[in-house]
Amino acid sequence: SQQGEEDPQALSIQEGENATMNCSYKTSINNLQWYRQNSGRGLVHLILIRSNEREKHSGRLRVTLDTSKKSSSLLITASRAADTASYFCATDRGTSYGKLTFGQGTILTVHP
Amino acid sequence: NAGVTQTPKFQVLKTGQSMTLQCAQDMNHEYMSWYRQDPGMGLRLIHYSVGAGITDQGEVPNGYNVSRSTTEDFPLRLLSAAPSQTSVYFCASSYTPAYEQYFGPGTRLTVT
């Protein structure tokens, strides 16, 4: 089964609105990463948050991590049509070195 | 730097045929991995390698073989193709699983 589960599966918003995606996982982790995938392309790394961090920012992106709830969220502020893509979380588990596990992804559509 | 390159971009095989998907990186990364992506399934780890001469199985290794004779190359071999192996295959590399992964553009494989 997938270690990371994203929620919602699909999100449709208007340009300028904020988009929030959530990721839950089952076992302890070393870090959690978020990736973006444009249609038909490879994945692009967005941000990495370590298990001892609670929040991280990168431009319009804000990631939070709650290890007690085994969950993370990705917030994209002031969304643009170019943000339309699939977003995946990936976890590096504490006891399985080398096995980065991806969730099923959230499909974000930003309407101009 | 070319980053992570994959060949071919597209491939059609008949059931029972074998082939090798090529992956190369020029970033001197120790960690390389292969994923398959199916609709609604996210990315699933097939095999990974933490350095030349060292490989290990991921989540869905059956029907695939890998070797790592050099730091740069990590080919994925399909031993006897089956329709269930129809998928998009991504290769990725990084210094370690704990760091951001660099993905190739993918190989779209169809097995008839």
Side-chain angles (χ1 to χ4, degrees), chain A residues 29-47:
Chain A
I29 61 172
N30 291 321
N31 69 61
L32 187 144
Q33 304 178 40
W34 284 91
Y35 288 82
R36 184 182 78 193
Q37 183 182 35
N38 290 90
S39 181
R41 301 283 192 91
L43 278 72
V44 174
H45 182 264
L46 294 176
I47 200 162

Side-chain angles (χ1 to χ4, degrees), chain A residues 7 33-34 43 51 63 72 74 84 100 104:
Chain A
D7 170 61
Q33 304 178 40
W34 284 91
L43 278 72
S51 59
V63 168
S72 173
L74 170 67
T84 294
L100 195 63
Q104 297 172 340

Side-chain angles (χ1 to χ4, degrees), chain A residues 8-28:
Chain A
Q9 291 187 343
L11 181 60
S12 181
I13 60 173
Q14 295 295 128
E15 222 170 17
E17 294 180 339
N18 294 343
T20 300
M21 288 158 269
N22 302 297
C23 170
S24 60
Y25 56 92
K26 296 175 183 170
T27 62
S28 65

Side-chain angles (χ1 to χ4, degrees), chain B residues 13 17 27 30 47 53 95 101:
Chain B
L13 288 179
Q17 288 184 316
M27 296 173 281
E30 290 294 327
H47 284 286
Y95 289 108
Q101 305 294 305

